[in-house]
Amino acid sequence: METIVKNCAGIDVHKMMVMVTVRKEVPNEEVQVITREFPTFRKDRELMCQFLQQHQVDLVVMESTGIYWKSIYASIITRGLNPWVVNARHVKNVPGRKTDTLDSQWLAHLAHCGLIRPSFVPNPEQEQLRLLTRHRDKLVKLIAREKNRLHKTLDDSGIRLGGLISDINGKSGQRMVNALIDGESLRDIVNKADYRVKADKKQLMASMDEQLSPSHLIVLKSIRGHINFLSEQQRELEIQILNGIQPWKEAWQLLQTLPGVSEMSAATLIAEIGDDMEQFGGMKEIASWAGLCPGNNESAGKRKSGRIRKGNKMIKTILCEVANAAIKTKCQFKGKYQSLVIRKGHKRSLIAIAHKLIRVIYTLLKKRKPYIDPDTDYEGLMVRKNAPRWLNKLGEYGYLTLTLQTV
């Protein structure tokens, strides 16, 4: 095959070692292949970079093996080399011939012939923000699990408060549960209920008329303390995220004009895709990268399953959350969802809305313009909001009286 990159290298990445193969052309129009093994400690990574520079490598290719490739990638890019991280699915070796040496040689051979393409890798600042937003996502899921354990423990003790109020984790439910754990009387506990709770006080007292055992109290106090600890960590982390989002403040504010997008979800989107849409090529490409577009599976003229493929899990999750919030507002996404849910069901319709959202986000960030919903009358909203104030000012300065006299 035709040579595209004259001097290139393939790296098979592992936790404690990397196998590096350099493939380069020599003056006699022959190809020289050199393979060496390096440990993954900092000093050894520097020796690896010196080895690549010594052979004047133009392109370095490695697989995205877990998180082990990140330190290797950082070392290579700081030396001014050109590293590519490729999808392991796109460079799968021939079965039965898989060793560390052959894997690195195969990567170098593919790069030599120009048969691979790089994956999207965020810049170091964006990578730091991504670390914070992904850790926050873990904390949110941990808090949700702990709240479910609290609810399950209450049910196990015979307390059926969760059957009378819509959300036991809401403000009213939390006040009553905390008072119950602290051993307050039933009358005091019931008085902490919000006026919007539909159940009457007798029902609430009956649902909590149960003696908690010492073991249940120990578990409930432990879970409550853990929830408070995780919630405090989440608040501190969100402050750090909002401070770290300042370099992308314009894009962050643009994303918040979309229905269903909050401050944290906008920060998460920035951490995952950045604000430079040129690196994706187009809205179809970014939807495919996120794993939200329908799959292509056709053979002999028959269209088979269009199941979406695996993509960026974090962006898929956050876009589904945004879609779930957007379909509850008066916007085009609500109408789209209502037309799909009858035929497709809730989950598939939600993926379709997420697919539409990622394309809209691409357009917003590329054109640097806020979102304008085609189904919303912005002029009418502005008039309804400001008309009383306008009328008051017209009356204050006498214009309203003059207008009525003229009429």
Side-chain angles (χ1 to χ4, degrees):
M1 288 182 283
E2 182 183 356
T3 299
I4 303 298
V5 182
K6 293 185 177 181
N7 297 343
C8 58
I11 302 180
D12 187 39
V13 181
H14 298 274
K15 183 176 183 177
M16 300 303 296
M17 57 81 67
V18 292
M19 190 68 70
V20 182
T21 295
V22 172
R23 187 182 179 94
K24 63 178 184 178
E25 290 189 350
V26 293
N28 298 330
E29 295 185 356
E30 295 180 356
V31 176
Q32 184 180 9
V33 178
I34 306 169
T35 302
R36 280 191 58 183
E37 179 181 336
F38 295 92
T40 55
F41 301 126
R42 183 181 60 84
K43 292 182 179 180
D44 300 303
R45 295 199 305 267
E46 291 179 358
L47 291 176
M48 178 194 68
C49 293
Q50 292 175 7
F51 170 73
L52 295 173
Q53 290 176 328
Q54 178 184 351
H55 291 282
Q56 299 177 349
V57 171
D58 300 321
L59 177 64
V60 183
V61 177
M62 68 186 81
E63 292 182 6
S64 55
T65 309
I67 60 172
Y68 304 136
W69 63 270
K70 291 189 177 182
S71 58
I72 309 298
Y73 182 91
S75 298
I76 294 173
I77 202 169
T78 52
R79 286 302 190 102
L81 297 170
N82 182 25
W84 279 11
V85 179
V86 297
N87 193 333
R89 184 181 177 185
H90 299 164
V91 295
K92 191 174 182 180
N93 206 344
V94 180
R97 298 182 66 249
K98 190 178 187 313
T99 64
D100 298 338
T101 302
L102 290 176
D103 280 347
S104 63
Q105 291 176 357
W106 178 247
L107 285 170
H109 181 68
L110 292 176
H112 194 67
C113 302
L115 296 176
I116 51 179
R117 57 184 180 181
S119 299
F120 166 65
V121 178
N123 57 54
E125 294 81 9
Q126 187 181 339
E127 181 66 31
Q128 296 300 313
L129 181 63
R130 179 183 286 190
L131 185 65
L132 295 177
T133 55
R134 291 190 176 185
H135 184 55
R136 178 189 173 273
D137 180 67
K138 297 293 183 183
L139 289 179
V140 170
K141 291 177 180 177
L142 280 174
I143 293 171
R145 292 192 193 105
E146 287 298 307
K147 287 181 177 179
N148 289 336
R149 290 190 186 100
L150 181 70
H151 195 176
K152 185 177 179 180
T153 306
L154 289 173
D155 287 339
D156 182 69
S157 66
I159 294 173
R160 297 293 182 264
L161 181 62
L164 295 180
I165 60 177
S166 59
D167 184 13
I168 197 173
N169 299 316
K171 291 183 179 179
S172 185
Q174 283 184 353
R175 287 197 300 264
M176 287 190 286
V177 169
N178 289 332
L180 185 66
I181 295 173
D182 293 335
E184 297 184 19
S185 64
L186 288 179
R187 289 187 180 277
D188 293 337
I189 295 173
V190 170
N191 290 332
K192 295 181 183 297
D194 194 85
Y195 69 93
R196 290 172 293 183
V197 175
K198 294 182 179 180
D200 57 33
K201 292 186 177 182
K202 289 184 178 179
Q203 287 179 316
L204 291 173
M205 291 180 69
S207 68
M208 294 182 287
D209 188 15
E210 189 73 37
Q211 187 67 33
L212 290 172
S213 66
S215 298
H216 281 113
L217 279 174
I218 292 172
V219 173
L220 288 171
K221 289 180 180 178
S222 174
I223 294 174
R224 183 178 64 175
H226 196 200
I227 290 174
N228 294 336
F229 171 73
L230 292 174
S231 300
E232 183 61 29
Q233 278 197 326
Q234 181 186 342
R235 284 190 291 270
E236 292 176 359
L237 199 59
E238 287 177 352
I239 293 173
Q240 296 295 327
I241 291 172
L242 293 178
N243 291 334
I245 201 68
Q246 295 307 314
W248 303 275
K249 188 175 182 179
E250 181 188 359
W252 178 60
Q253 292 175 341
L254 285 175
L255 290 178
Q256 291 180 60
T257 61
L258 271 168
V261 178
S262 63
E263 288 184 348
M264 285 298 112
S265 56
T268 304
L269 288 169
I270 292 294
E272 295 300 323
I273 64 176
D275 62 344
D276 181 15
M277 295 295 103
E278 296 297 331
Q279 56 200 351
F280 292 103
M283 63 173 62
K284 292 182 179 179
E285 286 76 7
I286 191 174
S288 176
W289 170 79
L292 289 169
C293 64
N296 289 325
N297 189 3
E298 184 177 337
S299 180
K302 294 182 179 180
R303 173 77 176 178
K304 299 184 180 180
S305 172
R307 180 183 293 273
I308 59 175
R309 67 175 184 83
K310 294 180 181 180
N312 187 310
K313 292 182 180 179
M314 190 64 194
I315 195 169
K316 191 181 297 184
T317 300
I318 197 67
L319 282 175
C320 286
E321 291 178 3
V322 171
N324 209 13
I327 61 177
K328 298 173 184 176
T329 63
K330 294 181 180 179
C331 63
Q332 63 168 329
F333 303 109
K334 181 179 181 179
K336 180 72 173 178
Y337 172 80
Q338 290 175 341
S339 66
L340 290 173
V341 71
I342 302 173
R343 297 176 289 112
K344 301 290 187 180
H346 174 69
K347 291 185 177 179
R348 290 186 177 182
S349 301
L350 214 59
I351 291 294
I353 300 301
H355 182 207
K356 189 176 183 66
L357 277 168
I358 191 66
R359 291 181 292 167
V360 172
I361 288 170
Y362 175 86
T363 305
L364 291 185
L365 295 180
K366 187 173 183 180
K367 294 185 177 181
R368 296 290 175 174
K369 293 182 179 180
Y371 174 73
I372 299 177
D373 192 85
D375 295 345
T376 302
D377 182 10
Y378 289 95
E379 185 177 354
L381 288 174
M382 184 181 65
V383 170
R384 283 193 293 272
K385 179 180 179 181
N386 297 316
R389 181 171 57 84
W390 292 341
L391 290 173
N392 289 335
K393 288 296 181 182
L394 287 172
E396 181 180 344
Y397 288 97
Y399 290 101
L400 188 60
T401 306
L402 291 173
T403 305
L404 291 175
Q405 290 176 354
T406 304
V407 175

